């Protein structure tokens, strides 16, 4: 459990959100309930929304998992494949 706990501290979720988004709030609440770190990237200007859509994303939330470096990637792949 110690290694898992240490590893989880490195992993962070990145959530693209907009104001008044119920699913965005639910996603953040779920991660918080599980004591998982996340970084919110609020799409709060027309320019940010435009860039987001240009990358092919259409809805929020969009949630990404940041694993870390090579060592963390190896550990994550071993546990999840």
């Amino acid at each position: 459990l110690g290694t898992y706990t240490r590893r989880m501290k490195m992993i962070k979720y990145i959530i693209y959100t907009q104001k008044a988004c119920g699913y965005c709030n639910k996603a953040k609440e779920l991660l918080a309930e599980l004591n998982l770190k996340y970084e919110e990237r609020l799409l709060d200007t027309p320019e940010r929304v435009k860039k987001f859509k240009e990358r092919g994303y259409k809805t929020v939330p969009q949630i990404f998992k940041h694993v870390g470096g090579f060592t963390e990637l190896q550990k994550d792949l071993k546990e999840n494949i």
Side-chain angles (χ1 to χ4, degrees):
L1 183 64
T3 303
Y4 178 77
T5 303
R6 248 186 324 227
R7 191 175 146 272
M8 287 309 295
K9 288 181 182 177
M10 288 187 247
I11 293 177
K12 174 174 62 176
Y13 292 85
I14 299 169
I15 307 176
Y16 287 84
T17 65
Q18 288 184 303
K19 292 180 181 175
C21 168
Y23 286 110
C24 299
N25 293 333
K26 286 182 179 190
K28 293 185 293 184
E29 289 169 6
L30 178 60
L31 290 170
E33 286 173 15
L34 296 171
N35 293 316
L36 295 173
K37 292 182 181 181
Y38 68 89
E39 176 182 320
E40 182 177 13
R41 296 191 181 169
L42 184 61
L43 303 173
D44 58 351
T45 66
E47 295 82 18
R48 288 181 180 170
V49 172
K50 182 181 176 190
K51 285 182 184 180
F52 181 78
K53 289 184 177 182
E54 285 173 350
R55 292 183 180 142
Y57 304 114
K58 296 179 180 172
T59 61
V60 290
Q62 288 294 318
I63 304 165
F64 300 89
K65 181 170 123 177
H66 178 257
V67 176
F70 178 73
T71 304
E72 292 82 15
L73 176 62
Q74 279 184 312
K75 288 178 185 176
D76 188 64
L77 292 175
K78 283 180 185 176
E79 292 176 8
N80 293 306
I81 291 183

